[in-house]
Amino acid sequence: MPANFKKIVQEIPAHVSHLFDKGRVADYIPALACIPADKFGFSLLTATGDRFETGDCQERFSIQSISKVFTLSLAMGYAKEELWSRVGREPSGSKFNSLVQLEYEKGKPRNPFINAGSIVVCDVLVSHLKNPRQALLDYMRVLSGSFDIDFDEVVAKSEAETGFINKALANFLKGNGNLENDVEEVLDLYFHQCSIAISCHELASASLHLANHGNSNTLKESVLTPSQVKRVNSLMLTCGLYDAVGEFAFRVGLPAKSGVGGGIIGILPGEYSVAVWSPGLDPSGNSLAGGAALEYLTTITSKSVF
Ligand code: GLN
């Protein structure tokens, strides 16, 4: 029997609202510290185009590391197989901005979804594109169908001023020969990708192609090949929630990607894309109520990739 998404999605806020004040908003990025912890948005888009959403699903928030999925997808079109000689494909088991791991592994990031890996992906885009910032915005706009999606310059500036660890990671990559371009130029793209302001509604649209064999509902041509979709989804499943990825697979069972803005996207291949937003984070930097909402969804529908 098909899941009654309408009823289930309406029930979700009541099931997770007790967690809103249990997490911690990402105050290490000063511009994010003041986001109210009781915001909650949820949007599910089926491969057949049906939409089920609730709460603050139209309100834009900081995409943060969810952007790493989109920069990777964009870079896959340029770097092909050589990307994987510069970035690994294994879960990190460490914090998303670990310097120790990068040093231990001689400047080759474990995967493209930890900060160091995404900085290398940004380097690929800087090498191949005249205006990588604009190319990324255009990509997000076309995929989401929202042509006024933009960077939040206050957030980008806030990270540029305080992102000392990301600067250390980028310099370490450069020192190990794993950045082709100027450190500042690459970080400018990285901080901007993280600053994109986007809603759950828009994120569910922007990721639908990952649930639909590479086809979006906004474009005639495929966004990614089925093989690229397999790769992106497998990386989300194994690396999308940093050192909490095993726990998330155990509880939720979907390829997913989180960001410290409190967003998470999830994919049930062939069925739906889903985006949830709740700003309070657990100690690994993943949305606490967001994770619980996705766990409720996959449990009550008895559907996951497993
Ligand atoms: N902009 C954040 C950082 O670099 C992204 C981290 C995240 O969302 N996990 O620290």
Side-chain angles (χ1 to χ4, degrees):
M1 197 173 86
N4 186 348
F5 287 128
K6 187 162 189 250
K7 178 170 177 287
I8 294 164
V9 170
Q10 292 315 319
E11 286 167 359
I12 285 176
H15 277 272
V16 300
S17 58
H18 66 284
L19 295 170
F20 291 168
D21 62 353
K22 305 282 187 308
R24 181 170 173 180
V25 175
D27 50 8
Y28 80 99
I29 301 173
L32 298 184
C34 54
I35 309 293
D38 59 353
K39 293 281 179 191
F40 182 80
F42 189 98
S43 182
L44 184 151
L45 179 58
T46 68
T48 48
D50 294 313
R51 174 88 71 168
F52 303 93
E53 48 194 13
T54 189
D56 305 307
C57 57
Q58 300 283 356
E59 187 167 330
R60 288 181 175 161
F61 60 95
S62 198
I63 192 171
Q64 291 298 319
S65 284
I66 300 172
S67 62
K68 291 169 180 169
V69 173
F70 299 99
T71 39
L72 173 67
S73 303
L74 197 55
M76 274 176 150
Y78 297 102
K80 310 274 189 290
E81 292 307 307
E82 70 270 16
L83 176 65
W84 307 114
S85 63
R86 299 178 60 187
V87 186
R89 306 189 288 247
E90 294 292 348
S92 67
S94 301
K95 214 160 155 43
F96 58 78
N97 56 5
S98 172
L99 275 161
V100 173
Q101 187 170 63
L102 190 64
E103 175 164 24
Y104 195 66
E105 296 180 357
K106 301 185 178 62
K108 180 175 176 181
R110 271 285 173 98
N111 68 63
F113 294 154
I114 53 172
N115 289 13
S118 190
I119 292 169
V120 172
V121 169
C122 284
D123 186 56
V124 169
L125 294 177
V126 171
S127 291
H128 286 88
L129 294 163
K130 241 203 193 107
N131 188 343
R133 264 162 65 168
Q134 191 58 45
L136 176 60
L137 264 192
D138 292 344
Y139 191 62
M140 296 306 296
R141 288 173 176 171
V142 167
L143 288 183
S144 64
S146 285
F147 288 84
D148 62 346
I149 281 182
D150 216 334
F151 301 119
D152 181 333
E153 289 295 343
V154 174
V155 174
K157 186 164 176 280
S158 180
E159 279 218 76
E161 285 170 358
T162 59
F164 301 108
I165 297 177
N166 287 323
K167 291 178 191 185
L169 291 168
N171 278 293
F172 194 81
L173 289 165
K174 184 80 180 172
N176 280 270
N178 201 1
L179 274 200
E180 290 176 357
N181 300 283
D182 180 54
V183 166
E184 290 304 320
E185 200 181 347
V186 176
L187 282 175
D188 178 69
L189 177 61
Y190 177 77
F191 291 140
H192 275 87
Q193 76 168 45
C194 292
S195 83
I196 290 173
I198 195 162
S199 68
C200 288
H201 181 96
E202 292 162 337
L203 267 176
S205 298
S207 30
L208 186 69
H209 62 284
L210 296 171
N212 198 23
H213 316 289
N215 303 310
S216 77
N217 60 350
T218 54
L219 269 179
K220 273 207 193 84
E221 64 272 25
S222 300
V223 184
L224 294 175
T225 65
S227 163
Q228 288 171 325
V229 168
K230 176 189 73 181
R231 289 174 162 201
V232 174
N233 282 342
S234 67
L235 286 165
M236 289 209 288
L237 186 73
T238 54
C239 313
L241 281 94
Y242 312 114
D243 46 338
V245 77
E247 176 70 12
F248 190 86
F250 182 85
R251 287 175 41 212
V252 178
L254 296 179
K257 183 75 201 82
S258 63
V260 294
I264 307 178
I265 58 170
I267 302 295
L268 184 56
E271 302 256 346
Y272 62 72
S273 57
V274 60
V276 60
W277 173 46
S278 172
L281 308 178
D282 66 18
S284 297
N286 301 314
S287 172
L288 194 61
L294 295 176
E295 181 178 8
Y296 181 76
L297 173 72
T298 54
T299 306
I300 203 94
T301 56
S302 302
K303 275 187 168 191
S304 71
V305 296
F306 305 108

Short mmCIF file of all heavy atoms in Angstrom, two decimals, residues 244-293:
data_model
loop_
_atom_site.label_atom_id
_atom_site.label_comp_id
_atom_site.label_asym_id
_atom_site.label_seq_id
_atom_site.Cartn_x
_atom_site.Cartn_y
_atom_site.Cartn_z
N ALA A 244 28.91 10.53 12.51
CA ALA A 244 27.66 9.94 13.01
C ALA A 244 26.96 9.16 11.89
O ALA A 244 25.78 8.84 12.00
CB ALA A 244 26.74 11.02 13.55
N VAL A 245 27.68 8.86 10.82
CA VAL A 245 27.03 8.30 9.64
C VAL A 245 26.50 6.88 9.88
O VAL A 245 25.44 6.50 9.37
CB VAL A 245 27.98 8.39 8.41
CG1 VAL A 245 29.06 7.34 8.45
CG2 VAL A 245 27.21 8.37 7.12
N GLY A 246 27.18 6.10 10.71
CA GLY A 246 26.72 4.74 11.01
C GLY A 246 25.42 4.78 11.80
O GLY A 246 24.46 4.07 11.50
N GLU A 247 25.40 5.63 12.81
CA GLU A 247 24.21 5.79 13.65
C GLU A 247 23.02 6.25 12.79
O GLU A 247 21.90 5.76 12.94
CB GLU A 247 24.53 6.82 14.75
CG GLU A 247 23.38 7.19 15.67
CD GLU A 247 22.96 6.07 16.61
OE1 GLU A 247 23.70 5.08 16.73
OE2 GLU A 247 21.86 6.19 17.19
N PHE A 248 23.29 7.16 11.87
CA PHE A 248 22.22 7.69 11.02
C PHE A 248 21.69 6.60 10.08
O PHE A 248 20.48 6.46 9.89
CB PHE A 248 22.74 8.90 10.23
CG PHE A 248 21.66 9.66 9.51
CD1 PHE A 248 20.94 10.66 10.15
CD2 PHE A 248 21.34 9.36 8.19
CE1 PHE A 248 19.93 11.35 9.49
CE2 PHE A 248 20.33 10.04 7.52
CZ PHE A 248 19.64 11.05 8.17
N ALA A 249 22.60 5.80 9.51
CA ALA A 249 22.16 4.71 8.63
C ALA A 249 21.34 3.70 9.42
O ALA A 249 20.33 3.18 8.94
CB ALA A 249 23.37 4.03 7.99
N PHE A 250 21.76 3.46 10.65
CA PHE A 250 21.06 2.51 11.53
C PHE A 250 19.64 2.99 11.83
O PHE A 250 18.68 2.24 11.79
CB PHE A 250 21.89 2.40 12.82
CG PHE A 250 21.37 1.45 13.84
CD1 PHE A 250 21.68 0.10 13.77
CD2 PHE A 250 20.59 1.90 14.90
CE1 PHE A 250 21.22 -0.78 14.74
CE2 PHE A 250 20.12 1.03 15.87
CZ PHE A 250 20.44 -0.32 15.78
N ARG A 251 19.53 4.29 12.11
CA ARG A 251 18.22 4.83 12.52
C ARG A 251 17.33 5.21 11.34
O ARG A 251 16.12 5.05 11.38
CB ARG A 251 18.43 6.05 13.41
CG ARG A 251 18.92 5.70 14.80
CD ARG A 251 19.25 6.95 15.62
NE ARG A 251 18.27 8.00 15.42
CZ ARG A 251 18.54 9.29 15.45
NH1 ARG A 251 19.76 9.71 15.67
NH2 ARG A 251 17.59 10.18 15.26
N VAL A 252 17.95 5.79 10.29
CA VAL A 252 17.15 6.38 9.20
C VAL A 252 17.21 5.51 7.94
O VAL A 252 16.20 5.24 7.30
CB VAL A 252 17.63 7.82 8.88
CG1 VAL A 252 16.84 8.40 7.71
CG2 VAL A 252 17.49 8.72 10.11
N GLY A 253 18.41 5.11 7.55
CA GLY A 253 18.55 4.21 6.39
C GLY A 253 18.37 4.88 5.05
O GLY A 253 17.87 4.27 4.10
N LEU A 254 18.79 6.14 4.94
CA LEU A 254 18.74 6.83 3.64
C LEU A 254 20.08 7.49 3.37
O LEU A 254 20.72 8.00 4.30
CB LEU A 254 17.70 7.97 3.66
CG LEU A 254 16.23 7.66 3.84
CD1 LEU A 254 15.42 8.96 3.84
CD2 LEU A 254 15.72 6.70 2.78
N PRO A 255 20.52 7.54 2.09
CA PRO A 255 21.62 8.43 1.76
C PRO A 255 21.19 9.85 2.14
O PRO A 255 20.06 10.25 1.84
CB PRO A 255 21.75 8.32 0.23
CG PRO A 255 20.96 7.13 -0.16
CD PRO A 255 19.94 6.90 0.90
N ALA A 256 22.07 10.58 2.81
CA ALA A 256 21.66 11.90 3.31
C ALA A 256 22.88 12.80 3.44
O ALA A 256 24.02 12.33 3.45
CB ALA A 256 20.97 11.75 4.67
N LYS A 257 22.63 14.09 3.52
CA LYS A 257 23.72 15.04 3.76
C LYS A 257 23.22 16.12 4.69
O LYS A 257 22.16 16.71 4.45
CB LYS A 257 24.20 15.66 2.43
CG LYS A 257 25.38 16.59 2.58
CD LYS A 257 26.67 15.83 2.82
CE LYS A 257 27.73 16.71 3.46
NZ LYS A 257 27.56 16.80 4.94
N SER A 258 24.03 16.39 5.70
CA SER A 258 23.66 17.40 6.68
C SER A 258 24.49 18.67 6.50
O SER A 258 25.50 18.66 5.80
CB SER A 258 23.93 16.85 8.09
OG SER A 258 25.31 16.59 8.21
N GLY A 259 24.06 19.73 7.17
CA GLY A 259 24.85 20.96 7.23
C GLY A 259 24.68 21.58 8.60
O GLY A 259 23.64 21.37 9.25
N VAL A 260 25.66 22.38 9.05
CA VAL A 260 25.54 22.95 10.39
C VAL A 260 24.52 24.09 10.46
O VAL A 260 24.27 24.63 11.54
CB VAL A 260 26.91 23.41 10.97
CG1 VAL A 260 27.83 22.22 11.22
CG2 VAL A 260 27.57 24.47 10.11
N GLY A 261 23.90 24.42 9.34
CA GLY A 261 22.76 25.34 9.37
C GLY A 261 21.52 24.64 9.93
O GLY A 261 20.49 25.27 10.15
N GLY A 262 21.60 23.31 10.11
CA GLY A 262 20.48 22.54 10.66
C GLY A 262 19.66 21.83 9.60
O GLY A 262 18.64 21.22 9.91
N GLY A 263 20.11 21.89 8.36
CA GLY A 263 19.39 21.19 7.29
C GLY A 263 19.93 19.78 7.08
O GLY A 263 21.10 19.50 7.39
N ILE A 264 19.06 18.90 6.58
CA ILE A 264 19.48 17.56 6.11
C ILE A 264 18.66 17.26 4.86
O ILE A 264 17.45 17.49 4.85
CB ILE A 264 19.20 16.44 7.14
CG1 ILE A 264 19.80 16.77 8.53
CG2 ILE A 264 19.76 15.10 6.65
CD1 ILE A 264 19.49 15.68 9.59
N ILE A 265 19.32 16.76 3.81
CA ILE A 265 18.56 16.21 2.69
C ILE A 265 18.69 14.69 2.73
O ILE A 265 19.71 14.16 3.16
CB ILE A 265 19.03 16.74 1.30
CG1 ILE A 265 20.51 16.46 1.03
CG2 ILE A 265 18.71 18.23 1.14
CD1 ILE A 265 20.95 16.75 -0.41
N GLY A 266 17.65 14.01 2.30
CA GLY A 266 17.67 12.55 2.26
C GLY A 266 17.08 12.09 0.93
O GLY A 266 16.27 12.79 0.32
N ILE A 267 17.53 10.92 0.51
CA ILE A 267 17.10 10.39 -0.80
C ILE A 267 16.62 8.95 -0.63
O ILE A 267 17.35 8.12 -0.09
CB ILE A 267 18.31 10.37 -1.78
CG1 ILE A 267 18.93 11.78 -1.96
CG2 ILE A 267 17.91 9.75 -3.13
CD1 ILE A 267 18.03 12.79 -2.62
N LEU A 268 15.41 8.67 -1.10
CA LEU A 268 15.00 7.27 -1.26
C LEU A 268 14.97 7.01 -2.77
O LEU A 268 14.04 7.46 -3.47
CB LEU A 268 13.63 7.00 -0.61
CG LEU A 268 13.20 5.53 -0.67
CD1 LEU A 268 14.24 4.60 -0.03
CD2 LEU A 268 11.86 5.32 0.02
N PRO A 269 16.01 6.34 -3.29
CA PRO A 269 16.14 6.20 -4.75
C PRO A 269 14.88 5.63 -5.39
O PRO A 269 14.31 4.65 -4.92
CB PRO A 269 17.34 5.26 -4.92
CG PRO A 269 18.16 5.50 -3.68
CD PRO A 269 17.15 5.72 -2.58
N GLY A 270 14.48 6.28 -6.47
CA GLY A 270 13.28 5.85 -7.20
C GLY A 270 11.98 6.35 -6.59
O GLY A 270 10.92 6.22 -7.20
N GLU A 271 12.06 6.92 -5.37
CA GLU A 271 10.81 7.29 -4.67
C GLU A 271 10.69 8.77 -4.35
O GLU A 271 9.74 9.41 -4.75
CB GLU A 271 10.71 6.50 -3.36
CG GLU A 271 10.76 5.01 -3.56
CD GLU A 271 9.40 4.36 -3.43
OE1 GLU A 271 8.47 5.00 -2.93
OE2 GLU A 271 9.28 3.19 -3.84
N TYR A 272 11.64 9.31 -3.57
CA TYR A 272 11.49 10.72 -3.18
C TYR A 272 12.81 11.35 -2.74
O TYR A 272 13.76 10.66 -2.39
CB TYR A 272 10.45 10.88 -2.06
CG TYR A 272 10.78 10.19 -0.74
CD1 TYR A 272 11.78 10.66 0.11
CD2 TYR A 272 10.05 9.08 -0.33
CE1 TYR A 272 12.05 10.05 1.32
CE2 TYR A 272 10.32 8.44 0.87
CZ TYR A 272 11.32 8.95 1.70
OH TYR A 272 11.60 8.33 2.90
N SER A 273 12.82 12.69 -2.77
CA SER A 273 13.85 13.46 -2.07
C SER A 273 13.14 14.18 -0.93
O SER A 273 11.95 14.52 -1.04
CB SER A 273 14.51 14.48 -3.00
OG SER A 273 13.54 15.34 -3.56
N VAL A 274 13.87 14.41 0.16
CA VAL A 274 13.27 15.06 1.31
C VAL A 274 14.27 16.03 1.91
O VAL A 274 15.48 15.78 1.88
CB VAL A 274 12.79 13.99 2.34
CG1 VAL A 274 13.92 13.14 2.86
CG2 VAL A 274 12.04 14.63 3.50
N ALA A 275 13.78 17.16 2.41
CA ALA A 275 14.66 18.12 3.09
C ALA A 275 14.00 18.53 4.39
O ALA A 275 12.78 18.76 4.43
CB ALA A 275 14.89 19.34 2.21
N VAL A 276 14.81 18.59 5.45
CA VAL A 276 14.29 18.98 6.76
C VAL A 276 15.22 20.03 7.35
O VAL A 276 16.41 20.03 7.05
CB VAL A 276 14.15 17.72 7.67
CG1 VAL A 276 15.46 17.00 7.89
CG2 VAL A 276 13.50 18.07 9.00
N TRP A 277 14.66 20.91 8.14
CA TRP A 277 15.48 21.97 8.78
C TRP A 277 15.05 22.17 10.22
O TRP A 277 13.87 22.42 10.50
CB TRP A 277 15.30 23.29 8.03
CG TRP A 277 15.96 24.48 8.68
CD1 TRP A 277 17.21 24.53 9.18
CD2 TRP A 277 15.37 25.77 8.89
NE1 TRP A 277 17.47 25.78 9.68
CE2 TRP A 277 16.34 26.56 9.52
CE3 TRP A 277 14.13 26.34 8.60
CZ2 TRP A 277 16.11 27.91 9.87
CZ3 TRP A 277 13.89 27.65 8.95
CH2 TRP A 277 14.88 28.43 9.57
N SER A 278 16.00 22.01 11.13
CA SER A 278 15.82 22.36 12.53
C SER A 278 17.22 22.75 13.02
O SER A 278 18.14 21.93 12.97
CB SER A 278 15.27 21.17 13.31
OG SER A 278 15.28 21.45 14.69
N PRO A 279 17.41 23.99 13.48
CA PRO A 279 18.78 24.51 13.69
C PRO A 279 19.58 23.87 14.83
O PRO A 279 20.81 23.94 14.82
CB PRO A 279 18.55 26.00 13.99
CG PRO A 279 17.20 26.31 13.46
CD PRO A 279 16.40 25.05 13.60
N GLY A 280 18.92 23.26 15.83
CA GLY A 280 19.68 22.71 16.96
C GLY A 280 20.45 21.46 16.53
O GLY A 280 19.88 20.53 15.96
N LEU A 281 21.75 21.43 16.82
CA LEU A 281 22.62 20.33 16.34
C LEU A 281 23.00 19.39 17.47
O LEU A 281 23.09 19.79 18.63
CB LEU A 281 23.90 20.93 15.75
CG LEU A 281 23.73 22.01 14.68
CD1 LEU A 281 25.12 22.53 14.25
CD2 LEU A 281 22.95 21.49 13.48
N ASP A 282 23.31 18.14 17.10
CA ASP A 282 23.89 17.20 18.07
C ASP A 282 25.41 17.42 18.10
O ASP A 282 25.94 18.23 17.32
CB ASP A 282 23.48 15.76 17.71
CG ASP A 282 24.09 15.29 16.39
OD1 ASP A 282 25.07 15.90 15.91
OD2 ASP A 282 23.59 14.29 15.84
N PRO A 283 26.13 16.72 18.96
CA PRO A 283 27.58 16.98 19.08
C PRO A 283 28.37 16.72 17.78
O PRO A 283 29.46 17.25 17.61
CB PRO A 283 28.02 16.02 20.18
CG PRO A 283 26.78 15.77 20.99
CD PRO A 283 25.65 15.79 20.00
N SER A 284 27.82 15.93 16.86
CA SER A 284 28.54 15.70 15.58
C SER A 284 28.26 16.81 14.57
O SER A 284 28.83 16.80 13.48
CB SER A 284 28.12 14.37 14.96
OG SER A 284 28.46 13.31 15.79
N GLY A 285 27.36 17.72 14.89
CA GLY A 285 27.07 18.82 13.97
C GLY A 285 25.90 18.53 13.04
O GLY A 285 25.75 19.18 12.01
N ASN A 286 25.07 17.55 13.41
CA ASN A 286 23.91 17.20 12.59
C ASN A 286 22.63 17.60 13.32
O ASN A 286 22.55 17.50 14.55
CB ASN A 286 23.90 15.69 12.33
CG ASN A 286 25.15 15.21 11.64
OD1 ASN A 286 25.61 15.81 10.67
ND2 ASN A 286 25.75 14.12 12.14
N SER A 287 21.62 18.03 12.55
CA SER A 287 20.38 18.49 13.15
C SER A 287 19.73 17.39 14.00
O SER A 287 19.45 16.29 13.50
CB SER A 287 19.40 18.92 12.05
OG SER A 287 18.14 19.20 12.63
N LEU A 288 19.47 17.72 15.26
CA LEU A 288 18.92 16.72 16.19
C LEU A 288 17.48 16.37 15.81
O LEU A 288 17.15 15.19 15.58
CB LEU A 288 18.98 17.31 17.60
CG LEU A 288 18.78 16.38 18.76
CD1 LEU A 288 19.84 15.30 18.79
CD2 LEU A 288 18.82 17.18 20.07
N ALA A 289 16.62 17.37 15.73
CA ALA A 289 15.20 17.10 15.41
C ALA A 289 15.07 16.69 13.94
O ALA A 289 14.17 15.92 13.58
CB ALA A 289 14.35 18.32 15.70
N GLY A 290 15.96 17.19 13.10
CA GLY A 290 15.92 16.82 11.68
C GLY A 290 16.16 15.32 11.51
O GLY A 290 15.45 14.63 10.76
N GLY A 291 17.15 14.80 12.21
CA GLY A 291 17.44 13.37 12.15
C GLY A 291 16.27 12.56 12.69
O GLY A 291 15.88 11.53 12.12
N ALA A 292 15.66 13.04 13.78
CA ALA A 292 14.52 12.33 14.37
C ALA A 292 13.33 12.34 13.41
O ALA A 292 12.59 11.35 13.31
CB ALA A 292 14.14 12.99 15.70
N ALA A 293 13.16 13.44 12.68
CA ALA A 293 12.04 13.53 11.73
C ALA A 293 12.22 12.51 10.61
O ALA A 293 11.27 11.83 10.21
CB ALA A 293 11.97 14.94 11.16
#
